[in-house]
């Protein structure tokens, strides 16, 4: 119940423009600033530096240029251009060839045709550079359009892309089967958004049970699935099931978010599992950051400590 309330509070705060302005001013100012725990920086070079540090530990990354819900075709074209440049820079830097993006960043709130055009622009270049493109899943009003858009590009022959399915949603088993029928890759997550009881399980135990069931389905029938969670119980269940069924560790991967359970990330890699870290960066970090706080209220104490330790006499202070 507490987690539902926390998600509700933080999704309301995420929409606050004044809080966003305030946070944006302090959150990324320097190495120790509070948002840096979860966000790798605001620029591509910072993200690539973070990727290199992670890769030196034997892990891989997916880079996410933060942004969502753009409201104009110009902004969607800009986000598309930024992704195109990111692909180029990743290829030149020689870090993991894997990116994550959101379709509302490419124009899903404007119209689907624009989104498909922008996505194809990204996928064309990604294909040439051998970069895999993961389409993140947003809140439930976008699911049908996201899956439809994915099917459209799949039908057009793009194979360097995959989607995300959220175990909190009651529809997800059907969606997993729909994507498995294409032979496409799925990242399984619990779901980061506040969703109504009409579409989503409200109890953590139900979300977890669905996650375990879908993990089993993906490990049995999926194409290189990604099990994306920090929950040790979900990870143990996946490891046990894979062992029982003889699914080799190179047939799937675990994924976690930048800055979360780094101990577990390292220990899975040390045990011979594939471990990919989702590295978010960019100036539009506020909604992502608020979702991370909403998942774990203990993070708020961590952030408050960070804010209080900032010097009030710094030159940028009013
Ligand atoms: P759960 O929330 O039950 O947490 C289990 C344990 O993990 C906690 O007890 C704590 O130890 C640790 N933990 C979890 N969250 C933490 C946090 N914020 N800070 C510190 N510790 C934390 N969602 C979505 O809707 N669409 C998407 O496309 C994606 N994409 C995505 C990619 C990757 C690589 C990951 C790992 C996650 C996502 N998510 C996502 C987010 C996902 O839906 C979910 O909100 C978070 O992963 C938290 O859920 P857990 O599975 O970790 O379990």
């Amino acid at each position: 119940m507490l987690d539902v309330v926390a998600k509700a509070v933080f999704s309301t705060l995420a929409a606050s423009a004044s809080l966003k302005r305030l946070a944006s001013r302090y959150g990324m100012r320097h190495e120790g600033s509070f948002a840096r725990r979860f966000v790798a920086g605001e620029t591509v070079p910072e993200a690539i530096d973070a990727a290199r540090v992670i890769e030196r530990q034997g892990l891989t990354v997916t880079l996410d240029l933060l942004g969502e819900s753009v409201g104009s075709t110009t902004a969607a074209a800009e986000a598309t251009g930024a992704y195109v440049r990111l692909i180029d820079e990743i290829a030149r830097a020689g870090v993991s060839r894997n990116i994550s993006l959101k379709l509302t960043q490419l124009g899903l709130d404007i119209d689907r045709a624009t989104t498909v055009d922008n996505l194809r622009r990204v996928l064309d270049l990604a294909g040439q550079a051998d970069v895999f493109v993961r389409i993140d899943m947003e809140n439930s009003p976008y699911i049908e359009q996201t899956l439809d858009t994915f099917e459209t590009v799949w039908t057009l022959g793009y194979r360097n892309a995959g989607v995300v399915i959220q175990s909190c949603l009651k529809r997800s088993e059907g969606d997993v089967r729909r994507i498995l029928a294409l032979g496409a890759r799925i990242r399984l997550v619990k779901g980061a958004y506040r969703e109504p009881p009409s579409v989503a399980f409200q109890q953590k135990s139900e979300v977890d049970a669905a996650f375990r069931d879908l993990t089993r389905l993906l490990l049995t029938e999926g194409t290189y699935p990604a099990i994306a969670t920090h929950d040790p119980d979900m990870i143990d269940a996946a490891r046990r099931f894979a062992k029982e069924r003889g699914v080799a560790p190179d047939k799937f991967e675990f994924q976690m978010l930048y800055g979360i359970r780094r101990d577990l990330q390292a220990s899975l890699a040390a045990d011979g599992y594939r471990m990919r870290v989702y590295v978010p960066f960019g100036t539009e970090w506020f909604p992502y950051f608020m979702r991370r706080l909403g998942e774990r209220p203990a993070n708020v104490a961590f952030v408050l400590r960070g804010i209080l330790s900032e010097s009030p006499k710094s030159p940028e202070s009013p």
Side-chain angles (χ1 to χ4, degrees):
M1 193 60 202
L2 193 64
D3 37 332
V4 177
V5 175
K7 263 189 187 177
V9 170
F10 283 95
S11 65
T12 307
L13 293 178
S16 158
S18 45
L19 193 58
K20 179 179 175 185
R21 268 198 306 278
L22 187 69
S24 302
R25 196 149 163 197
Y26 298 107
M28 283 288 185
R29 257 195 324 192
H30 54 73
E31 265 311 300
S33 293
F34 59 86
R36 294 222 178 224
R37 168 69 192 271
F38 303 111
V39 179
E42 294 195 322
T43 65
V44 175
E46 284 174 309
I48 286 177
D49 283 351
R52 289 206 169 106
V53 171
I54 292 165
E55 290 185 344
R56 275 201 288 275
Q57 299 158 36
L59 319 176
T60 56
V61 300
T62 179
L63 293 187
D64 171 43
L65 173 54
L66 291 165
E68 50 199 86
S69 309
V70 305
S72 69
T73 43
T74 312
E78 274 167 15
T80 306
Y83 261 106
V84 163
R85 288 192 294 282
L86 174 63
I87 290 169
D88 201 41
E89 299 207 42
I90 286 174
R92 272 194 281 127
V95 293
S96 310
R97 293 174 181 243
N98 197 305
I99 57 173
S100 294
L101 54 77
K102 291 184 173 47
L103 289 188
T104 63
Q105 213 170 353
L106 303 192
L108 202 57
D109 283 327
I110 302 155
D111 70 87
R112 248 193 75 203
T114 304
T115 312
V116 170
D117 287 349
N118 288 338
L119 181 59
R120 290 185 67 182
R121 219 181 125 207
V122 172
L123 290 174
D124 280 332
L125 188 69
Q128 287 162 28
D130 196 22
V131 168
F132 181 78
V133 179
R134 179 74 63 177
I135 299 172
D136 284 348
M137 190 56 84
E138 299 174 71
N139 46 338
S140 55
Y142 294 109
I143 291 174
E144 201 54 41
Q145 295 181 69
T146 301
L147 295 179
D148 284 352
T149 304
F150 179 71
E151 276 175 342
T152 302
V153 294
W154 188 267
T155 309
L156 288 168
Y158 293 97
R159 294 291 179 270
N160 55 325
V163 285
V164 177
I165 301 286
Q166 301 151 326
S167 76
C168 68
L169 295 176
K170 296 173 181 172
R171 58 178 284 168
S172 285
E173 185 185 337
D175 290 340
V176 166
R177 293 193 186 279
R178 175 173 164 189
I179 300 302
L180 288 186
L182 302 174
R185 283 160 61 170
I186 292 175
R187 171 201 291 154
L188 179 65
V189 301
K190 288 191 189 178
Y193 301 87
R194 178 171 57 126
E195 298 286 359
S198 52
V199 299
F201 302 118
Q202 303 294 306
Q203 302 295 326
K204 176 174 161 54
S205 57
E206 296 174 302
V207 177
D208 287 357
F211 194 97
R212 284 196 192 87
D213 289 347
L214 295 177
T215 295
R216 286 196 282 266
L217 181 57
L218 288 173
L219 288 174
T220 323
E221 297 178 32
T223 307
Y224 194 67
I227 312 301
T229 178
H230 317 92
D231 187 336
D233 291 344
M234 301 300 113
I235 291 166
D236 285 349
R239 289 176 63 154
R240 267 198 315 275
F241 185 79
K243 262 204 191 104
E244 269 165 40
R245 296 299 174 98
V247 182
D250 63 351
K251 295 289 184 245
F252 63 98
E253 66 183 31
F254 288 111
Q255 295 188 354
M256 292 189 207
L257 300 175
Y258 180 79
I260 299 181
R261 292 304 311 259
R262 285 172 287 197
D263 54 337
L264 196 49
Q265 296 176 10
S267 77
L268 281 168
D271 286 349
Y273 290 98
R274 292 185 172 192
M275 176 73 235
R276 187 179 302 279
V277 180
Y278 183 105
V279 179
F281 74 99
T283 53
E284 292 301 310
W285 52 266
F286 185 69
Y288 174 89
F289 178 68
M290 293 309 271
R291 285 197 288 276
R292 302 296 74 84
L293 295 190
E295 277 157 5
R296 193 159 182 259
N299 285 338
V300 178
F302 162 81
V303 166
L304 286 177
R305 273 199 305 280
I307 292 171
L308 293 175
S309 69
E310 298 250 336
S311 162
K313 292 207 178 70
S314 100
E316 287 168 58
S317 294

